[in-house]
Amino acid sequence: MTPSKANWLKKASITTISLWLAIFVFIPTLLVIATSFLRVGENNFVIFSFTLDNYQKILDPVFFHVFFASCYLALITTFVCLLIGYPFAYLLTQFSPNIRRILLLLVIIPFWTSSLIRIYAIKILLLQIERSLRFFYPDVSILYTEMAVLIGLIYTMLPFMILPLFSTMEKLDRRLIEAAQDLGATPRQTFMRIILPLTIPGIIAGSMLVFLPVLGLFYVTDLLGGAKNIVIGNLIKNQFLVARNWPFASAASVFVIILMAMLIFVYIKSINRFGGSRHEKVQ
Amino acid sequence: MTQKIIELKNVSKSFGNDKVLHNINLDISNGEFLTLLGPSGCGKTTILRLIAGFENPSDGEIFLNGEKINAIPANKRNVCTVFQNYALFPHMNVFDNVAFGLRIKNLNAEEIKTKVDAVLKMVKLENFAQRKPHQLSGGQQQRVAIARAVVNDPLVLVLDEPLSALDYKLRKDMQIELKELQRRLGITFIFVTHDQEEALSMSDRIVILNNGNIEQIGSPQQIYEMPQSLFVAQFIGEANVLTGHIEEVQDDFIKVQIAQSCYQFHYTHSKLQKNDKVNVILRPEDLQIYLDNAEKTHCLSGKITNIVYKGATVDLRVALENDNVVTISEFFDDSRHQKFVVNQTIQIGWADGVEVILHDT
Ligand SMILES: Nc1ncnc2c1ncn2[C@@H]1O[C@H](COP(=O)(O)OP(=O)(O)OP(=O)(O)O)[C@@H](O)[C@H]1O
Ligand SMILES: [Mg+2]
C-alpha cells in the first residue's frame, strides 16, 4: 500500500469512528445530562425549566432499594463469573497454542447470536428443566426466580470475565513461576504470591466488564425474573418507555454513568499499581 | 579427592521423538566452577533444567550430594537458578525479591532483614532495596537475580547465560565479580555460556557439548591446548587445520605428509598407524613467520594474502602451496612487521610440541 493511500485510509477510518462516537455516544450523553436537569411536561415530554428535583428523587428509598438490589445482583454475578472464569482461563493457557485458539473461539462463538435471543433460549431451557424436575419435586420452581436471573446473567457475562483473565494469564512469564518454585515455593504459595498478584489487572478488568453491564441488563431480569428482581436498567427503561418520565430516567442514567466512571478510574489506577509483567524490561 | 555434589549417570532427555541429550555422564565436585559450553541448541539449558528440577530425565539418574533426586520437585531441591532474563518478580521490590525464598522458609522478619541486607551489600545494591525491577539497569537486575539465589545458601547455583544481555564492558566486570563471589561463597556454580572467552577465563572445568553429547571435559587449559576432537579444536579459539597422512610411525615420533612436505612430530601415543589420515591443529598464536627458511624443522611456505592490524596483535593470513589458508597471530612489532607485505612469499614455523594431531575419522 502506498503511504498516501494508507494515510487516506487512516484519516477516513478515524473520521468515521469519531463521527460515529459523536452521533451515537457523545451527543446522546449530553442530551441525557441536559434532560436530567429539566421538568416533566404534561404531554409526557420535558419542560425547559431548570431543576434539581430529579436528583433529589434518586435519594428516594425506593430508588435506592433498586440500586442496592442491582448492585447485589451484579456483585454475585461478578463473583460467580470470577470463580468459574479464573480456573477456566488458567486451564485455557495450559493447552498448546492451536487447541487454545479453538477453545477461545468456542468461548466467543455465542456472541454471534444476539444475547436477547440467547436469553429466550435459556428461558425455554429452564422451562423444560423445571417441567422435568416437577415430576419428582412438584414444588420446584426455577423460572422467574432469582436463581434463573443469576443463571442468565452469569451465562451472558462469563466470556467477558474469561477473555481479559485469559489475556493477562497468557502474558504471564512462565519463568516467574519456575523462579518461585526454584526458590522453594509450593504450587499453592506460587499461586498466592506470584500468579494471583500478577493477574490482578485481569481480575479487575474482567470484574468491571461483568459488574457494570449487569446493572443495565434489563431484558435478562425481565425475561427470566418475571420483573420480580429488577436492576437499574429496568428502572431506567421503565421510566423512559412506560412512565415517560424522561428527566428522572436521565438523572438515574447520569447517576449510573458517574458510578461507572468512578469504577473505571479506580480500575486504571489499580492497573498502574499492579502493573504486572508489562513493566518487565526487554533487553 | 573432593566430594561430588552432582552426578549425572547415563542421563538422556527426549522431547517427543526428539532426543536432545544422549547418555550424559558428568560428575561435578563441590565448590567447583563448571561451565557448559557449546553451540546453540546443543542442550546446555536442558542440562541445567534437569539439575534444577524443571524437567525430568527420560533415562538415567541424577544425584545431588549422593541422594538420587530424579523424583524430587524443583521446590524441594537445594539448587537455585539464575535465569537468563533474570525472571525477577515484577510486582515486588528488590528487597522482597531477594527475601522471597527466605519467607517461603518461614524465617522471622529480623533474620530475613539481616540476611537480605548482607546479600544486597555483597552485590552492591544496598541503596536499591526499595526499587522495583523495572527501575533497575540490566546489570543491577542481574545482581538482584544472583542475590535472590545465593541468599538461600544453595548447594548448587545454576546460571543460564547470566551475562549474555549485558554490554561488553559490564560483562567483563561481572565476569570478575561473579568469579570472586563464587570463590568467596564456595558454592558450586554450573554456568552456561555461548562465549568461549568467558568460559576459558572463569571456569575450573569446561564441558564442551555438541548435539546432546559431551565432546570433552577438562580444565580450560586442557580444552584449549589438548582438544580431543576437531569440533573442540575449532569451537574453542581459532584453529588452523592441516590435513595429511602418516608416513611413518616410530616409538617416539611420527612423520606426517602434509601437502608436498613431510614433517616429523614428537608423538608417543600408539593410536596412529601408517597411512592414517590426520588433522594437525595449530593455533594462530603458536605460529611465527620468517622471511627465509631459518633451519626450522617445521616449516610451511606460503604467500601473505592479508595483514590485519589489531592493536596489540597483528593477524596475517597466508595461503599455502596447497591453497590451504592459515592464520598467524603475532604480537605487533612495528620494526618487524613493516618488513612483510601482501603477496610476499614467506615461511611459517612453530616450536616443537605445540601442534595437536587428531586422527581424522
Ligand atoms: N520444551 C521443549 N520442547 C521441545 N524441544 C525442546 C524443548 N526445550 C528444548 N528443546 C530442544 O532441545 C534442544 C536443546 O535445547 P536447549 O535449550 O537445551 O539448548 P541450549 O544449548 O540451551 O541452546 P541455546 O544456546 O540456544 O540456549 C533444542 O533442539 C531445542 O529445540
Ligand atoms: Mg539455552
Side-chain angles (χ1 to χ4, degrees):
Chain A
M1 212 172 352
T2 59
S4 70
K5 199 171 172 191
N7 213 6
W8 183 85
L9 254 177
K10 195 168 146 193
K11 269 184 192 156
S13 44
I14 288 176
T15 315
T16 315
I17 292 168
S18 310
L19 277 175
W20 181 279
L21 284 176
I23 295 170
F24 294 108
V25 179
F26 190 63
I27 295 174
T29 307
L30 282 183
L31 288 175
V32 166
I33 293 173
T35 312
S36 71
F37 293 106
L38 302 177
R39 282 180 211 283
V40 195
E42 264 122 57
N43 49 1
N44 285 342
F45 282 113
V46 292
I47 297 174
F48 290 90
S49 79
F50 180 83
T51 177
L52 285 174
D53 283 356
N54 301 310
Y55 287 95
Q56 214 160 17
K57 229 171 132 187
I58 287 177
L59 300 175
D60 187 320
V62 178
F63 179 82
F64 253 83
H65 175 75
V66 174
F67 174 69
F68 280 118
S70 46
C71 281
Y72 170 73
L73 210 56
L75 227 86
I76 293 182
T77 308
T78 308
F79 186 70
V80 177
C81 281
L82 187 61
L83 231 51
I84 303 171
Y86 198 92
F88 191 97
Y90 184 74
L91 221 65
L92 273 183
T93 60
Q94 299 301 303
F95 287 100
S96 76
N98 279 332
I99 298 176
R100 227 185 272 174
R101 233 165 279 145
I102 295 168
L103 292 176
L104 215 55
L105 192 70
L106 291 180
V107 173
I108 295 167
I109 278 179
F111 287 122
W112 295 353
T113 311
S114 149
S115 70
L116 185 60
I117 290 170
R118 283 184 286 132
I119 292 299
Y120 269 110
I122 292 254
K123 183 174 177 173
I124 293 165
L125 199 69
L126 288 180
L127 200 68
Q128 295 302 328
I129 293 173
E130 194 179 64
R131 274 190 195 149
S132 329
L133 280 178
R134 280 199 177 144
F135 279 117
F136 309 102
Y137 312 98
D139 296 336
V140 83
S141 66
I142 297 178
L143 205 57
Y144 308 130
T145 61
E146 189 169 318
M147 179 58 90
V149 174
L150 271 176
I151 290 172
L153 289 174
I154 291 162
Y155 166 75
T156 314
M157 301 316 295
L158 191 57
F160 293 99
M161 183 61 93
I162 291 173
L163 294 177
L165 278 174
F166 173 77
S167 89
T168 39
M169 284 181 191
E170 201 183 28
K171 273 184 282 171
L172 193 77
D173 190 347
R174 275 207 64 80
R175 274 163 300 204
L176 295 178
I177 297 170
E178 287 185 347
Q181 280 171 7
D182 192 64
L183 296 167
T186 59
R188 193 193 142 87
Q189 285 168 323
T190 307
F191 178 76
M192 294 307 289
R193 294 174 193 220
I194 307 297
I195 301 175
L196 192 61
L198 288 177
T199 47
I200 281 180
I203 294 176
I204 297 174
S207 301
M208 304 280 293
L209 287 179
V210 173
F211 184 86
L212 298 178
V214 165
L215 297 180
L217 271 180
F218 58 86
Y219 54 85
V220 177
T221 47
D222 270 359
L223 290 174
L224 300 178
K228 264 184 280 172
N229 295 93
I230 64 171
V231 290
I232 299 186
N234 296 86
L235 184 125
I236 293 172
K237 186 204 92 180
N238 287 337
Q239 290 296 322
F240 267 122
L241 300 182
V242 182
R244 299 258 163 183
N245 189 345
W246 285 19
F248 176 61
S250 299
S253 302
V254 171
F255 179 78
V256 175
I257 290 171
I258 291 172
L259 180 80
M260 291 189 181
M262 278 176 354
L263 284 176
I264 288 169
F265 179 75
V266 171
Y267 166 63
I268 291 169
K269 282 275 156 205
S270 58
I271 288 289
N272 285 342
R273 181 149 159 240
F274 295 104
S277 50
R278 189 169 65 87
H279 280 313
E280 220 175 352
K281 232 181 198 172
V282 182
Q283 299 285 332
Chain B
M1 190 56 210
T2 43
Q3 162 212 7
K4 289 179 203 160
I5 193 88
I6 286 203
E7 290 168 80
L8 303 188
K9 286 193 176 152
N10 287 318
V11 170
S12 298
K13 176 72 188 169
S14 306
F15 293 106
N17 290 328
D18 192 11
K19 194 163 186 185
V20 301
L21 290 178
H22 308 266
N23 282 322
I24 299 290
N25 282 292
L26 181 60
D27 290 350
I28 303 170
S29 319
N30 198 5
E32 182 173 32
F33 195 118
L34 184 100
T35 299
L36 304 179
L37 184 62
S40 187
C42 68
K44 305 180 293 285
T45 300
T46 307
I47 292 182
L48 290 195
R49 292 174 61 81
L50 286 169
I51 293 172
F54 300 128
E55 306 280 359
N56 287 317
S58 311
D59 224 330
E61 296 170 309
I62 304 176
F63 294 88
L64 172 65
N65 221 359
E67 181 194 3
K68 186 171 164 183
I69 55 168
N70 283 39
I72 297 180
N75 59 339
K76 300 270 174 2
R77 294 188 189 186
N78 203 354
V79 174
C80 283
T81 306
V82 174
F83 291 83
Q84 181 166 2
N85 63 345
Y86 319 139
L88 299 178
F89 304 130
H91 57 302
M92 297 182 188
N93 64 23
V94 170
F95 186 94
D96 293 335
N97 261 285
V98 177
F100 188 88
L102 302 176
R103 288 192 177 136
I104 293 289
K105 289 195 199 106
N106 271 326
L107 264 57
N108 68 46
E110 224 167 289
E111 209 173 336
I112 291 175
K113 175 127 181 52
T114 320
K115 285 197 173 195
V116 173
D117 284 348
V119 167
L120 285 180
K121 194 156 180 204
M122 189 170 70
V123 296
K124 304 188 193 101
L125 283 176
E126 60 269 43
N127 297 326
F128 295 85
Q130 298 310 317
R131 296 250 192 122
K132 288 279 184 74
H134 71 272
Q135 296 167 318
L136 299 175
S137 73
Q140 290 162 343
Q141 290 181 30
Q142 166 70 73
R143 288 161 210 259
V144 178
I146 292 167
R148 186 177 70 175
V150 301
V151 77
N152 299 292
D153 282 329
L155 287 173
V156 174
L157 191 65
V158 301
L159 305 98
D160 195 352
E161 303 193 33
L163 308 179
S164 65
L166 307 180
D167 65 41
Y168 182 79
K169 178 79 177 62
L170 192 57
R171 192 168 172 159
K172 293 281 150 204
D173 294 345
M174 283 301 291
Q175 284 175 9
I176 294 166
E177 277 183 39
L178 210 56
K179 181 74 199 171
E180 272 176 12
L181 187 74
Q182 190 261 342
R183 215 172 282 144
R184 207 162 356 133
L185 297 171
I187 299 176
T188 311
F189 272 38
I190 307 176
F191 185 88
V192 163
T193 179
H194 259 95
D195 182 341
Q196 38 149 315
E197 205 184 318
E198 197 166 283
L200 290 172
S201 62
M202 297 175 79
S203 325
D204 295 325
R205 280 197 306 160
I206 298 175
V207 178
I208 306 282
L209 289 161
N210 185 24
N211 269 329
N213 290 299
I214 293 182
E215 287 273 340
Q216 189 172 353
I217 306 178
S219 68
Q221 201 177 350
Q222 283 168 340
I223 297 277
Y224 190 77
E225 291 177 6
M226 288 176 276
Q228 283 166 5
S229 66
L230 197 57
F231 174 83
V232 175
Q234 288 179 320
F235 190 74
I236 299 283
E238 265 193 87
N240 295 306
V241 181
L242 304 174
T243 52
H245 67 270
I246 310 267
E247 271 294 314
E248 193 183 331
V249 182
Q250 293 294 344
D251 281 349
D252 59 350
F253 70 87
I254 52 173
K255 284 190 171 166
V256 180
Q257 179 84 29
I258 299 171
Q260 265 73 49
S261 322
C262 195
Y263 299 89
Q264 182 173 321
F265 295 111
H266 181 75
Y267 193 85
T268 51
H269 307 278
S270 54
K271 275 184 284 181
L272 295 174
Q273 283 168 354
K274 188 167 157 61
N275 285 330
D276 277 355
K277 288 200 156 191
V278 291
N279 293 308
V280 178
I281 314 284
L282 291 161
R283 299 288 184 194
E285 66 274 17
D286 288 336
L287 298 175
Q288 292 90 38
I289 56 172
Y290 303 97
L291 283 170
D292 48 17
N293 190 342
E295 298 149 30
K296 280 269 163 188
T297 40
H298 304 310
C299 241
L300 294 161
S301 68
K303 254 187 192 168
I304 299 178
T305 59
N306 200 0
I307 301 176
V308 182
Y309 172 69
K310 288 194 166 172
T313 59
V314 57
D315 281 3
L316 298 108
R317 309 269 290 164
V318 176
L320 303 180
E321 284 153 350
N322 62 353
D323 285 337
N324 270 357
V325 176
V326 297
T327 305
I328 299 144
S329 186
E330 293 189 342
F331 281 112
F332 181 69
D333 175 349
D334 198 13
S335 61
R336 174 171 151 75
H337 287 107
Q338 66 185 348
K339 285 185 251 164
F340 299 107
V341 292
V342 170
N343 267 335
Q344 188 175 14
T345 304
I346 48 90
Q347 306 291 322
I348 303 170
W350 64 91
D352 257 340
V354 297
E355 73 285 333
V356 172
I357 298 172
L358 294 171
H359 195 287
D360 187 16
T361 45

